[in-house]
Amino acid sequence: MLLPLVFALLYTALSTRVLVNAGVGLHGLRGTTALSVRAYGICLRLDGVIERTGTQLRLRMRPRYGQRTFGERTLRAGAASFKRYGWAMRAALGSVRWGQLDVYLRAGTDEAWSTALLAGAARSLAASLLAVSGGRIPCDVRVDASFDEPEFLLASRCIFSAAPGDIMFAVVKAAVKKTRREGFGWLSIPLRA
């Protein structure tokens, strides 16, 4: 009686969609992050600050209502772990359902010609990235030029959902492909009776 209940709870936990709302904002040299994870009517919200300490950028996350700081690490260390486990992260992102991506950029320099050139280059880069994505991600990109004063403001927000079971299955499938590509083959040993 207990074993079917455990399997039913495990199946429910792995098949439930988790909605994630992530945002990043940069204004000058200061940066902020926000992350919201929702499942079963429960919402976990984290706010973060991107700070510069010496030559490194450091990300510090904390719950919206609380004092405990966790996940403090340098962005260089995060990039190193992305290099090592990039294949697993790409497989996990392949199983995600993208809801919306919003990007807002406001940039300006001292001179009007360079501001117009910067805004046009940013808009063409965004348009080319949207064309490469093939419309798989619904996206809204806005680029404004600030002719009044030198300014840099970048705000982005992404909404996506995923089921933990789908992510686990995609990562295992990618791991099997990776081991086959590296020359490790599964050998079956014949039975002798």
Side-chain angles (χ1 to χ4, degrees), residues 3-17 40 163-166:
L3 193 60
L5 181 64
V6 169
F7 281 127
L9 289 175
L10 183 64
Y11 177 78
T12 303
L14 291 178
S15 64
T16 299
R17 285 230 159 277
Y40 299 115
D166 291 344

Side-chain angles (χ1 to χ4, degrees), residues 105 116-132 141 143:
L105 174 67
L117 186 67
L118 178 65
R123 182 65 188 157
S124 65
L125 175 68
S128 64
L129 289 176
L130 284 175
V132 167
V141 177
V143 178

Side-chain angles (χ1 to χ4, degrees), residues 25-26 51 53 60 92 109 128 141 152 163 189:
L26 296 172
E51 340 179 285
T53 55
R60 188 179 309 164
T109 61
S128 64
V141 177
F152 179 77
I189 301 170

Side-chain angles (χ1 to χ4, degrees), residues 55-175:
T55 60
Q56 294 184 356
L57 293 176
R58 186 172 296 279
L59 174 64
R60 188 179 309 164
M61 300 288 287
R62 70 175 43 165
R64 179 159 291 186
Y65 303 107
Q67 298 299 321
R68 181 174 177 239
T69 300
F70 61 93
E72 183 175 334
R73 61 189 296 180
T74 62
L75 296 181
R76 187 175 294 163
S81 68
F82 184 75
K83 276 185 177 179
R84 185 178 306 136
Y85 300 111
W87 60 272
M89 291 180 192
R90 283 189 297 274
L93 286 176
S95 66
V96 167
R97 288 187 192 166
W98 296 98
Q100 180 70 26
L101 175 67
D102 298 326
V103 179
Y104 174 72
L105 174 67
R106 182 169 172 85
T109 61
D110 286 334
E111 298 178 356
W113 68 269
S114 59
T115 298
L117 186 67
L118 178 65
R123 182 65 188 157
S124 65
L125 175 68
S128 64
L129 289 176
L130 284 175
V132 167
S133 74
R136 287 176 285 183
I137 302 173
C139 190
D140 179 30
V141 177
R142 283 186 39 202
V143 178
D144 290 340
S146 173
F147 293 105
D148 300 338
E149 59 185 345
E151 182 179 14
F152 179 77
L153 172 69
L154 175 68
S156 65
R157 188 184 84 170
C158 181
I159 300 172
F160 59 92
S161 66
D166 291 344
I167 292 174
M168 289 170 52
F169 184 69
V171 169
V172 167
K173 196 167 144 183

